[in-house]
Amino acid sequence: MKYFIFFILVTATYFRPQEACVKNRVILHNELGPGRLLEYHCYSNKDDLGIKNMAFNATPYVIAFHDEIPNLTTWNCLLRQGPNNKFVYDVQMYKAGPRLIPRCGQIRIWTAKLDGIYFARQLDTPSVLALYWIEK
């Protein structure tokens, strides 16, 4: 038994927790329609990724990250679309819950469509309407 405890201690000391933890991902899609751009500004409590644009059906934008412990990792994206970007929503894309062990491999899929913003937690499940655009 004491060899097992020694093995666990050596293993825990040798490997950092995040090395074994698959990064979490936030995935953003633009399905607004042909010729419609999605403007997005994504930021967390530690990083600001700047303002970017995504064309209709372009390669999805992916944010890959590890949860920060003990800080609660959050990712928000300010989404804008329409003429003069008059439709907006500041979406909380991801928020880690209070925990001592970080989450690993979490997926959050957000899809911008004309009628609103859709959400799914898994790649193999259909997105559901979660938020309606706010007209400014």
Side-chain angles (χ1 to χ4, degrees), residues 39 77-82 84-91 117 131-136:
E39 181 182 286
C77 291
L78 176 61
L79 306 179
R80 296 179 179 170
Q81 60 96 4
N84 298 318
N85 286 329
K86 77 175 192 173
F87 297 104
V88 299
Y89 210 104
D90 194 359
V91 181
I117 302 162
L131 305 165
Y132 292 100
W133 292 105
I134 298 170
E135 189 172 349
K136 65 173 184 173

Side-chain angles (χ1 to χ4, degrees), residues 6 11 31 50 67 76 79 94 112 136:
F6 178 75
T11 304
E31 293 183 10
D67 278 354
N76 287 53
L79 306 179
Y94 178 87
K136 65 173 184 173

